[in-house]
Amino acid sequence: MRILISGFEPFGGSNNNPSEGVVRSVLASQARRPLARELSLFGTILPVVGGTRPGSARHTMRRCITDAQPNAVICFGEAASRATICIERVAFNERSYRIADNGGVRIASAPVIRGAPSLLRSTASHEGMLRAMRAAVRAHGVAVRMSDDAGRFLCNEVLFDCLHRARGAYTAVFIHLPQTPAQARVRGTLGGQPLPLAWSVRAAIAAIRWIAAR
Ligand code: PCA
């Protein structure tokens, strides 16, 4: 099984992003000892830049998918205002940025892909993945839930693009992570509940193992 995982660079005035930390930790862990049998794991950190030009998140992701030829893509991103880890099941064909991206561009309203359906559903086996992730972090009081709203910023944009281009070649899912306590100390809780990176890493490994066993 070939799995590609992605995280994002920091954005929105923070100097780190839990999704980047998760991807780096998971790759280090896989290098020490494979997380699952016959697993080839690939990872990338995406720029928080919209559109499809070189240097954008979508352009980077498309290149990684071409290079890695994955059976599954698991994208991770930060959702600072969330109190739980969320499995995103749908992506909208809409870009409506609440803040400027790291290229300084703020899109008021535009489709991700002109002429594509207004909504695409993730094709991963969410229920089983949710159970596996919950089991991995339950003892620490960490909650994991489903979500049908990945926002209208880069996380949604990347998931939509992955789903639209998959054509059965791979499954794709997005996992949103709360910010870390260190981030919250600097910018406040933003209505969410911070989560130490270690628990996000555990949940991520459970998700990868679940998908690797399919
Ligand atoms: N979160 C943003 C984009 C990058 C990230 O980590 C989002 O939820 O769209």
Side-chain angles (χ1 to χ4, degrees):
M1 167 72 91
R2 301 169 70 81
I3 300 181
L4 171 64
I5 58 173
S6 72
F8 278 102
E9 66 182 3
F11 70 104
S14 182
N15 62 4
N16 63 80
N17 185 322
S19 65
E20 176 171 8
V22 160
V23 168
R24 294 198 189 287
S25 296
V26 168
L27 291 176
S29 179
Q30 164 81 2
R32 283 194 301 273
R33 197 161 69 91
L35 298 171
R37 278 182 32 206
E38 311 207 358
L39 168 65
S40 297
L41 191 64
F42 305 86
T44 185
I45 305 301
L46 302 173
V48 180
V49 175
T52 54
R53 293 216 185 109
S56 67
R58 277 193 273 170
H59 187 269
T60 308
M61 190 57 141
R62 289 174 183 182
R63 258 202 2 230
C64 286
I65 289 173
T66 303
D67 291 348
Q69 293 292 308
N71 309 105
V73 178
I74 311 176
C75 314
F76 295 92
E78 169 192 317
S81 61
R82 302 266 177 100
T84 56
I85 296 171
C86 295
I87 300 174
E88 303 291 352
R89 288 184 292 200
V90 302
F92 297 95
N93 190 11
E94 194 188 330
R95 303 162 73 200
S96 179
Y97 297 178
R98 59 193 162 75
I99 54 171
D101 68 10
N102 284 354
V105 174
R106 185 167 179 193
I107 305 282
S109 178
V112 178
I113 297 173
R114 217 169 294 282
S118 59
L119 177 155
L120 292 174
R121 287 182 196 286
S122 153
T123 45
S125 44
H126 306 103
E127 294 293 340
M129 199 166 92
L130 179 71
R131 277 197 297 275
M133 291 170 74
R134 280 184 171 159
V137 294
R138 187 183 296 130
H140 311 287
V142 179
V144 188
R145 67 175 175 86
M146 299 289 192
S147 163
D148 290 326
D149 190 348
R152 302 292 185 277
F153 194 39
L154 264 298
C155 293
N156 175 73
E157 184 169 324
V158 164
L159 179 60
F160 190 91
D161 203 59
C162 284
L163 293 171
H164 187 254
R165 296 168 68 86
R167 299 202 171 86
Y170 56 83
T171 57
V173 68
F174 199 101
I175 297 173
H176 256 139
L177 308 167
Q179 66 175 335
T180 62
Q183 288 179 288
R185 272 196 292 278
V186 174
R187 62 180 178 184
T189 59
L190 304 175
Q193 197 177 307
L195 183 67
L197 190 69
W199 306 136
S200 288
V201 172
R202 277 180 196 232
I205 288 176
I208 291 164
R209 287 194 168 130
W210 167 263
I211 287 186
R214 294 309 93 206

